[in-house]
Amino acid sequence: MSGPLSAADTRRNLVALSRADFDRELAPFIDRPYRLNQIYLALHRRGVESIDEITELSLRLRGELAQCFFIAAPRIAERRLSADGTCKYLLRLHDSATIEAVDIPSEERRTLCISSQAGCALACTFCVTGYWGAGRDLSAGEIVAQVRLINRESRSREPGSSQARTTRPFDDPSAAPNIVFMGMGEPLLNLEAVRESLDLLTQSTSWKRVTVSTVGIIPALEEMASWRRRPNLAISLHAPDDDRRNEIMPINQTYPLADLLACLRRYPLERGRKITIEYLLIRHFNDRLKDADQIARLLRGLRAKVNLIPINPDPVLGEQMVAPDEATVERFKNRLRQRGLFTTVRQRRGDEVQGACGQLRASGTKAHGVRARLRQGGDNG
Ligand code: SAH
């Protein structure tokens, strides 16, 4: 990797540029317009690691580019495999920010859970990422690099694989994993990069295989509603009324339930699609049958399916944040089904490597989230 040589080095990392900045900054170097696309695809689809590797360009152009730019994609810093095959990756970005991505195997098709921000500002009380605090937006290149790196890594571990087979991991649609934006961050607060990343990812996988999960940032949902193609949508609901949602998701004060549900009712859905409603089950907080009834009322008339998620506990979340017992989960699920809602319960995966949802964290970083500060008596910055 050819990173910046010193603090005085003003070269820019191509991988971290938005498409608009990329076009603007490279335009002066380019003889023909199609070259921009050519370089962009070499970077983000082929995953070249140095400007020298973009052999479609003349030596001279590569030399000129290398004066002003370098390529530093995320790197795998750590890989932890759990007994059920779930593999959690810690990735380090060029500015040493860290993110996590999880590879969840399944008999039919793998699912890759990827991050859209290095941290999260939303401070939901049940989420470990929020505990650690805000970070920066990822670029589209950093988002797609997670998929490329993990595909490459997991293929190189397949029996009988050769490096030759791993060089173009994007291009085998039959092997394309499901991709869910359920790692660190709020994708709809980084919508431009997420959209660019979707354009790249859907060159080798179907929009139907990609899901974006959000707390429900209404203006961003409205923008997505105007897109020509859309990924699947998952909404983190987690509470049946505003009082309780405000308590665990501060963003609900900005986008309360009635407004969010109205927005979802207007949201255009392709034939056969449903909005996934994610509902964390937290013991003695939102797990009564009355709560299930309230959700059913809330979702009336919406093409939705419910995914119940017994909360994954974590020491930083405190003792309240634990899942109900299995019988309660079962009763809750059955009640929603009786009310006509297609309902599933999310299997816990990757627990022992802390790769389960909400447990993604940038280990080694110091917590600077609102709650972390409260917990540490305000002495943490
Ligand atoms: N900000 C987006 C994307 C992150 S997705 C969103 O909230 O939808 C992360 C998913 O994991 C969300 O459904 C989130 O609510 C869920 N989650 C967060 N903390 C969790 C925990 N402790 N146990 C189980 N799921 C959790």
Side-chain angles (χ1 to χ4, degrees), residues 34-51:
Y34 74 85
R35 292 245 181 258
L36 287 176
N37 236 5
Q38 199 175 35
I39 303 173
Y40 192 77
L41 293 180
L43 271 174
H44 300 310
R45 302 241 315 138
R46 207 158 83 224
V48 295
E49 292 180 351
S50 73
I51 290 172

Side-chain angles (χ1 to χ4, degrees), residues 113 116-117 120 122 124 126-129 181-188 212-216 234-238 249 278-280 309-314 317 321 346 356-360:
C113 174
S116 56
Q117 297 179 310
C120 187
L122 293 181
C124 301
F126 48 81
C127 178
V128 176
T129 303
F181 285 74
M182 294 187 188
M184 293 166 73
E186 170 48 52
L188 269 61
V212 170
S213 177
T214 176
V215 295
I235 299 289
S236 289
L237 191 73
H238 306 331
M249 299 174 71
E278 296 164 285
Y279 189 86
L280 275 179
I309 313 168
I311 186 171
N312 292 303
D314 189 283
L317 300 176
M321 292 295 167
R346 185 179 295 171
C357 304
Q359 293 181 302
L360 299 177

Side-chain angles (χ1 to χ4, degrees), residues 129-200:
T129 303
Y131 177 85
W132 290 95
R136 70 166 172 87
D137 286 342
L138 301 190
S139 69
E142 289 166 334
I143 293 172
V144 301
Q146 297 170 68
V147 175
R148 195 180 51 242
L149 283 172
I150 294 177
N151 274 337
R152 192 179 285 175
E153 176 78 10
S154 71
R155 286 195 190 191
S156 70
R157 284 169 195 275
E158 271 170 22
S161 74
S162 69
Q163 278 310 108
R165 275 182 56 211
T166 68
T167 50
R168 308 201 64 192
F170 263 139
D171 292 335
D172 177 3
S174 67
N178 294 317
I179 297 168
V180 297
F181 285 74
M182 294 187 188
M184 293 166 73
E186 170 48 52
L188 269 61
L189 289 178
N190 185 19
L191 192 60
E192 188 189 330
V194 166
R195 182 178 188 168
E196 287 167 18
S197 74
L198 290 169
D199 286 339
L200 285 163

